[in-house]
Amino acid sequence: MSTLRVDNPYTLETAVEVPLADWPEIERVLARAQEGAALIAAMPLSERKVLVEKATAAMEANADRIAEDISRMMGKPKSNALGELKTMAVRARKM
């Protein structure tokens, strides 16, 4: 199986390696995504808002770990990554 290697552009060290899906797996994932899109499209806006809030809250609860990942993969200061997460949460709640 092939892997995707992401290097930290600042240190040039490997930040993460993840396996790449093969075509049958990609087709399964895309089919499930289409099913999910149909379910979401049929869902009332009030229920979609609840889902967005849950996802936003989960990202905020894991902000430190997510910011560390962003920092490693992008070579940027962790403080910038935390700022991006805060901005994402504000936008998710306003849109």
Side-chain angles (χ1 to χ4, degrees):
M1 178 180 284
S2 298
T3 60
L4 171 67
R5 177 179 159 182
V6 178
D7 293 333
N8 179 322
Y10 183 72
T11 66
L12 301 179
E13 295 175 358
T14 299
V16 66
E17 283 190 51
V18 294
L20 295 175
D22 58 14
W23 281 114
E25 179 63 17
I26 291 168
E27 289 172 346
R28 283 191 295 276
V29 168
L30 290 175
R32 290 190 69 198
Q34 288 174 331
E35 292 168 9
L39 290 172
I40 292 295
M43 184 181 289
L45 179 59
S46 60
E47 290 179 32
R48 283 186 265 161
K49 286 181 176 181
V50 170
L51 289 178
V52 169
E53 178 54 38
K54 285 181 182 180
T56 302
M59 284 186 257
E60 288 175 319
N62 292 289
D64 198 61
R65 184 183 56 78
I66 294 169
E68 287 175 5
D69 287 344
I70 292 171
S71 180
R72 272 195 314 275
M73 289 185 235
M74 300 298 293
K76 64 172 58 184
K78 185 176 171 184
S79 59
N80 286 15
L82 285 168
E84 290 175 3
L85 288 164
K86 288 178 184 175
T87 300
M88 173 279 309
V90 169
R91 287 181 178 168
R93 289 187 174 111
K94 296 292 181 194
M95 297 175 102

